[in-house]
Amino acid sequence: MRKTVLRSLVVSAAISLGIGLTAVPAFAGPPYTVAGASGSASGRSTNTFLEVVDPATGDVKATLRCDVVTVGATINNGTFSRVVGTIGSSTWTNCQDDDFGFTFTVRQSGIWNINAINDGPDGPGGVTHGSVGNVQASISGPFCSGTFAGNQVPGFYSNAARTLTMAPGFDPSIPNDLRVTQDSCPLFNVGDIGRFNGVFTVTPNTITITG
């Protein structure tokens, strides 16, 4: 209730001062409470794709799509300031580029963090904005290999849908920093932007994150 009142006051002040709402932080921050978790968790997506973008022109230079991506995670109940879980493993099945249909192998390196950054609407149906951090991954295929890294790959978790959606650009306060860090590929270059998209169904389907 207190957050609802505060948001109303912020909106009223913005209107009276004649400023755009984009200049005002949309949601509250930490701490975040995780409930309904059991330690071990997983996610599965059938619609993931990675776009490689030229930072100078904004042109999409390559798109890599995977039929199925599954992740193995650790998520525990408790109250956290930012990192609410980790991703220790991932499997990427039948990944191909749009232009030539080449098949690529994708491998995760290290443990990735699941970060909560902005608290969306209150209640069990709320949405928490966040990111996946400490990301390192490599791709390899015919005539092309490369490494991607980033500490803030944007996404959001829905308590109602029990899904983690990866969506760069959905929240301007969470900039995407996934970049090509090594390449041996005619399709992209070091410094190019990686835009990762996908909707992951989370198991167990009892997990909620509230601020």
Side-chain angles (χ1 to χ4, degrees), residues 117-195:
I117 298 175
N118 290 330
D119 176 31
D122 290 336
V127 173
T128 298
H129 297 187
S131 68
V132 176
N134 196 39
V135 172
Q136 297 183 65
S138 62
I139 67 169
S140 59
F143 316 111
C144 182
S145 63
T147 301
F148 291 78
N151 202 42
Q152 190 160 266
V153 182
F156 58 90
Y157 181 75
S158 168
N159 288 334
R162 303 300 200 261
T163 54
L164 174 64
T165 300
M166 305 306 299
F170 82 97
D171 185 338
S173 72
I174 307 176
N176 171 45
D177 69 358
L178 187 64
R179 297 291 186 272
V180 177
T181 54
Q182 291 182 318
D183 84 283
S184 177
C185 182
L187 300 178
F188 49 78
N189 303 100
V190 169
D192 285 347
I193 299 167
R195 295 197 304 216

Side-chain angles (χ1 to χ4, degrees), residues 16-27:
S16 64
L17 292 173
I19 60 177
L21 292 180
T22 55
V24 180
F27 304 121

